[in-house]
């Protein structure tokens, strides 16, 4: 029942998104190349963007309340109900006779199903992942409780754009904190449908299955981060751009240019990294369209979902990209040392992205590359994304926005690679057995080669099935449908959870946390303390115990919480016990009261 209830809630929201998105797309006229399921996924993605804009507008005016959220979703469901029948007629009219599935396509489809199995279970676990506990969910909870947008300086990134997090705030208003995981997974699922349909449309069924399997396999469905949400809207923008490119004449498809700009605006209003795609998109558009009217429409559509965040930052701090624009626009909450530390932290996390996408560099050697202008455009997008990523962060998660198209193009690259390998093996066996036409005996090695290939495929599928079932079992074990199982899970997976939970129930006054950033969602709301920003640790912890206690008390703090690993550094210093009293200790976390008698 726990899983069914969450999937039912997701289905209702998806229906509402599709209802709004379909209502708008139906007024834009059909795209040049019709695909009912790609259009349905685009409609759902557009609906997600429209919900985000609606929630943002409500929150700006302090009206983002549960009643308004429910009313919006109900209106979307009603819009969907009014359109289901005509849409289904359209699907049937667009349905074309499908070619029989080949053996390779069936194998790829089985692999896709096996890869998708853990992803279906992963969202059901309680929140336990680093950044979702550090600021994504704490921000969403604050907005959900207040019903308005604000600057929450106790968070690590109070000035970031938070478009996709507004969906999580809505989920917390009408459900529990597992539901945001499903909204993150929704972005991955819609992107997977788009990758599959794009593969069908511009390549073949085998490419579609492999590309979708790669994207699903490298996605993370067990948290409430926003990277997959950004990926959904970047991919949607690319789809709309290609619809615009295929319009004849191009000027007749300006509506698709506006849709692409809107999707990019939603992405840019969710994460700064989405801005890196603007130069490439601008170059692509200016190559085909230079009319001021078309550019004005695109600019307006881009600004609608994201201008609030950037204008607010520019007006209040002078830095529209706060804090990453500090070196150009000046520092506000951060100091230069914070900036240096953040850059160093990103570089420390630099690593190679998932090996499954490395084959993207072989895609230009495929006949599909030569035949399809759409695939070439997707390939250049991928190469640009990788180049920008290499020159900036080299942090794998920052490449997530490009992963759907990277997965699609990598699927083509893997076919090139295995094609070369198969050709090499055939040449090797052909050289030993002689030309096929020269001797019937040469068929024997080929037959043995085919049998060996069959066994290799069987073994690979068996290994994939074992991995998939093992991962699924691990995800199932993380599901916590009762308060008791949830408590046990969180105590095991969230360092400092017990101490944070104690403070949530008993804290009176402000609490300063030390080295427990990744557990603050389970503490009192709000809770201060971080490595960066106005409440940075170095401003307090480097003081002598008496000075630290006085400074904390002067700022309204009544308690501190830390992991026991910090005790040798802080709690053993001379004079600490004179200013701090131990209140609670459990599971590697300690809570201290700041003594009011501290001089």
């Amino acid at each position: 029942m726990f899983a069914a209830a969450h999937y039912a809630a997701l289905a209702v929201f998806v229906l509402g998104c599709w209802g709004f998105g379909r209502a708008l797309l139906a007024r834009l006229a059909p795209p040049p190349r019709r695909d009912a399921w790609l259009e349905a996924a685009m409609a759902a993605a557009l609906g997600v963007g429209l919900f985000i804009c609606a929630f943002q507008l409500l929150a700006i005016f302090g009206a983002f309340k549960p009643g308004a959220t429910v009313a919006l979703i109900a209106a979307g469901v009603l819009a969907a109900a009014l359109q289901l029948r005509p849409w289904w007629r359209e699907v049937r009219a667009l349905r074309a006779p499908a070619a029989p599935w080949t053996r390779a396509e069936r194998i790829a489809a089985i692999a896709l199903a096996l890869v998708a199995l853990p992803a279906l279970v992963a969202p059901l676990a309680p929140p336990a992942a680093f950044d979702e506990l550090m600021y994504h969910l704490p921000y969403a909870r604050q907005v959900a409780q207040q019903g308005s947008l604000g600057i929450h300086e106790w968070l690590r990134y109070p000035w970031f754009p938070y478009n996709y997090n507004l969906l999580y705030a809505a989920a917390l208003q009408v459900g529990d904190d597992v539901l945001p995981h499903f909204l993150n997974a929704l972005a991955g699922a819609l992107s997977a449908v788009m990758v599959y349909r794009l593969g069908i449309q511009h390549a073949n069924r085998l490419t579609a299955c492999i590309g979708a399997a790669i994207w699903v396999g490298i996605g993370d469905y067990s948290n409430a981060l926003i990277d997959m949400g950004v990926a959904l809207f970047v991919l949607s923008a690319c789809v709309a751009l290609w619809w615009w490119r295929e319009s004849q004449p191009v000027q007749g498809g300006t509506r698709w240019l506006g849709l692409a700009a809107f999707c990019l605006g939603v992405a840019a209003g969710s994460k700064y990294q989405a801005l890196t795609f603007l130069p490439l998109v601008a170059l692509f558009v200016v190559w085909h369209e230079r009319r001021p009217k078309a550019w004005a429409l695109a600019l307006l559509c881009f600004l609608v979902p994201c201008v609030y965040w950037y204008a607010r930052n520019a007006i209040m701090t002078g830095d529209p990209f706060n804090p990453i624009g500090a070196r150009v626009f000046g520092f506000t909450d951060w100091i230069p040392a914070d900036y240096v530390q953040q850059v160093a932290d990103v570089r420390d996390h630099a690593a190679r992205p998932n090996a499954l996408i490395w084959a993207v560099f072989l895609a230009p050697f495929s006949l599909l590359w030569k035949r399809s202008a759409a695939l070439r455009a997707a390939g250049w997008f991928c190469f640009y994304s990788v180049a920008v990523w290499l020159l900036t962060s080299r942090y794998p998660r920052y490449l997530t926005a490009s992963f759907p198209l990277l997965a699609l193009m990598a699927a083509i690259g893997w076919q090139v690679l295995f094609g070369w390998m198969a050709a090499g093996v055939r040449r090797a066996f052909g050289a030993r057995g002689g030309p096929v036409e020269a001797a019937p005996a040469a068929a024997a090695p080929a037959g043995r080669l085919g049998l060996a290939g069959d066994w290799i495929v069987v073994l690979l599928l068996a290994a994939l099935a074992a991995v998939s079932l093992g991962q699924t079992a691990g995800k199932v074990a993380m599901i916590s449908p009762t308060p008791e199982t949830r408590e046990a899970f969180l105590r095991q997976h969230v360092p400092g959870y017990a101490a944070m939970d104690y403070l949530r129930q008993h804290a009176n006054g402000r609490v300063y946390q030390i080295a427990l950033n990744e557990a603050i969602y389970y503490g009192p709301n709000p809770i201060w303390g971080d490595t960066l920003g106005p409440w940075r640790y170095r401003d307090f912890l480097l003081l002598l115990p008496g000075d630290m206690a006085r400074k904390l008390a002067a700022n309204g703090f009544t308690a501190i919480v830390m992991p026991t690993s910090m005790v040798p550094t802080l709690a053993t210093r001379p004079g600490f016990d004179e200013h701090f009293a131990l209140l609670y200790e459990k599971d590697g976390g300690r809570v201290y009261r700041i003594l009011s008698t501290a001089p």
Side-chain angles (χ1 to χ4, degrees):
M1 289 301 295
F2 182 78
H6 285 83
Y7 269 106
L10 177 66
V12 171
F13 181 69
V14 171
L15 193 61
C17 292
W18 179 84
F20 282 146
R22 161 79 181 178
L24 181 56
L25 281 184
R27 285 161 176 76
L28 298 181
R33 192 183 308 198
R34 303 300 305 275
D35 186 309
W37 294 107
L38 178 60
E39 292 172 33
M42 282 289 289
L46 176 58
V48 173
L50 294 174
F51 267 109
I52 287 173
C53 291
F55 293 153
Q56 184 190 116
L57 185 64
L58 288 171
I60 289 172
F61 292 100
F64 187 22
K65 305 295 183 181
T69 299
V70 171
L72 278 173
I73 295 174
V77 172
L78 178 61
L82 296 175
Q83 298 175 90
L84 274 174
R85 184 173 295 179
W87 172 76
W88 185 245
R89 286 199 298 266
E90 187 175 295
V91 170
R92 296 179 65 182
L94 292 174
R95 185 182 299 164
W101 285 67
T102 65
R103 178 172 175 271
E105 291 169 350
R106 288 196 296 270
I107 292 170
I110 294 172
L112 173 57
L114 290 172
V115 169
L117 186 59
L120 294 174
V121 182
L124 289 162
F130 48 102
D131 286 1
E132 72 168 332
L133 300 184
M134 188 188 304
Y135 60 95
H136 287 297
L137 287 181
Y139 178 86
R141 180 177 58 187
Q142 192 79 353
V143 173
Q145 291 175 352
Q146 295 182 348
S148 62
L149 299 178
I151 307 302
H152 309 299
E153 62 177 8
W154 52 276
L155 292 174
R156 171 166 292 188
Y157 306 113
W159 299 97
F160 266 24
Y162 279 107
N163 266 351
Y164 209 82
N165 298 80
L166 297 179
L167 296 177
Y168 301 157
L172 294 177
Q173 287 180 339
V174 300
D176 59 18
D177 56 14
V178 172
L179 199 52
H181 290 180
F182 282 81
L183 298 178
N184 172 63
L186 171 62
L190 290 176
S191 301
V193 173
M194 291 184 192
V195 168
Y196 180 83
R197 297 311 304 178
L198 288 171
I200 293 288
Q201 194 172 79
H202 298 288
N204 50 56
R205 195 182 283 148
L206 179 61
T207 301
C209 289
I210 297 174
I214 292 174
W215 164 238
V216 173
I218 63 181
D220 192 348
Y221 301 85
S222 61
N223 57 54
L225 306 184
I226 48 88
D227 300 275
M228 292 210 301
V230 175
L232 169 64
F233 285 102
V234 170
L235 177 61
S236 300
C238 291
V239 173
L241 273 176
W242 195 251
W243 284 351
W244 170 72
R245 175 66 181 85
E246 287 189 325
S247 301
Q248 295 298 329
V250 172
Q251 289 78 7
T254 307
R255 61 190 181 277
W256 301 123
L257 183 59
L259 176 60
F262 174 80
C263 292
L264 280 177
V266 176
S270 299
K271 194 160 190 173
Y272 287 139
Q273 278 79 11
L275 295 171
T276 61
F277 299 108
L278 296 186
L280 179 66
V281 171
L283 179 63
F284 181 80
V285 173
V286 78
W287 190 264
H288 302 285
E289 176 63 86
R290 297 178 180 86
R291 292 180 302 158
K293 183 178 179 180
W295 275 85
L297 173 64
L299 180 61
L300 176 63
C301 292
F302 173 79
L303 291 176
V304 165
C306 71
V307 69
Y308 168 81
W309 309 105
Y310 295 93
R312 177 203 65 182
N313 291 359
I315 293 170
M316 297 182 70
T317 72
D319 179 3
F321 315 106
N322 192 313
I324 66 172
R327 290 195 179 277
V328 176
F329 299 99
F331 291 87
T332 50
D333 289 346
W334 282 19
I335 59 177
D338 293 339
Y339 188 92
V340 171
Q341 183 175 342
Q342 176 69 10
V343 172
D345 181 66
V346 171
R347 288 176 178 170
D348 289 342
H349 286 86
R352 296 184 183 90
N354 193 292
L356 289 173
I357 67 170
W358 294 358
V360 68
F361 297 105
L362 298 179
F365 297 97
S366 170
L367 288 177
L368 292 171
W369 177 278
K370 299 177 177 64
R371 293 172 181 170
S372 173
L375 293 178
R376 289 196 298 274
W380 286 116
F381 170 89
C382 294
F383 299 149
Y384 170 87
S385 301
V386 172
V388 170
W389 174 79
L390 286 171
L391 292 172
T392 54
S393 68
R394 288 179 292 140
Y395 180 20
R397 189 154 59 90
Y398 288 176
L399 193 58
T400 303
S402 304
F403 275 173
L405 283 180
L406 282 168
L408 179 62
M409 299 308 296
I412 296 173
W414 284 115
Q415 292 176 75
V416 170
L417 178 61
F418 283 107
W420 289 346
M421 293 171 61
V425 171
R426 284 194 297 269
R427 284 195 298 270
F429 275 87
R432 289 181 186 176
V436 174
E437 296 82 5
R448 289 196 295 271
L449 180 61
L451 182 60
D454 290 342
W455 275 107
I456 291 173
V457 169
V458 170
L459 291 175
L460 287 176
L461 282 179
L464 180 59
V467 171
S468 175
L469 291 175
Q471 290 183 349
T472 303
K475 301 297 184 184
V476 169
M478 298 171 71
I479 300 174
S480 307
T482 66
E484 294 76 18
T485 55
R486 177 184 168 92
E487 176 83 8
F489 173 85
L490 294 176
R491 288 180 59 186
Q492 180 181 358
H493 291 87
V494 179
Y497 167 76
M500 284 290 188
D501 187 58
Y502 170 84
L503 282 168
R504 182 181 59 82
Q505 299 181 49
H506 300 93
N508 292 312
R510 287 185 168 191
V511 175
Y512 189 86
Q513 64 82 18
I514 302 168
L516 288 174
N517 313 64
E518 298 174 5
I520 67 171
Y521 173 70
Y522 292 111
N525 187 34
I527 186 170
W528 285 261
D530 206 333
T531 57
L532 309 170
W535 303 103
R536 62 186 65 84
Y537 298 140
R538 68 170 69 94
D539 293 344
F540 294 88
L541 305 188
L542 297 181
L543 302 173
L544 295 174
D547 294 334
M548 182 173 72
R550 281 188 288 271
K551 185 172 182 176
L552 287 168
N555 283 280
F557 292 104
T558 61
I560 62 173
V561 57
M562 69 178 77
T564 53
S565 59
M566 293 294 296
V567 170
T569 304
L570 292 177
T572 59
R573 292 190 295 176
F576 184 87
D577 292 337
E578 298 174 13
H579 303 282
F580 300 91
L582 181 63
L583 283 179
Y584 183 83
E585 181 177 9
K586 191 173 185 179
D587 294 346
R590 283 191 178 187
V591 177
Y592 290 89
R593 180 167 59 89
I594 301 173
L595 297 178
S596 58
T597 57

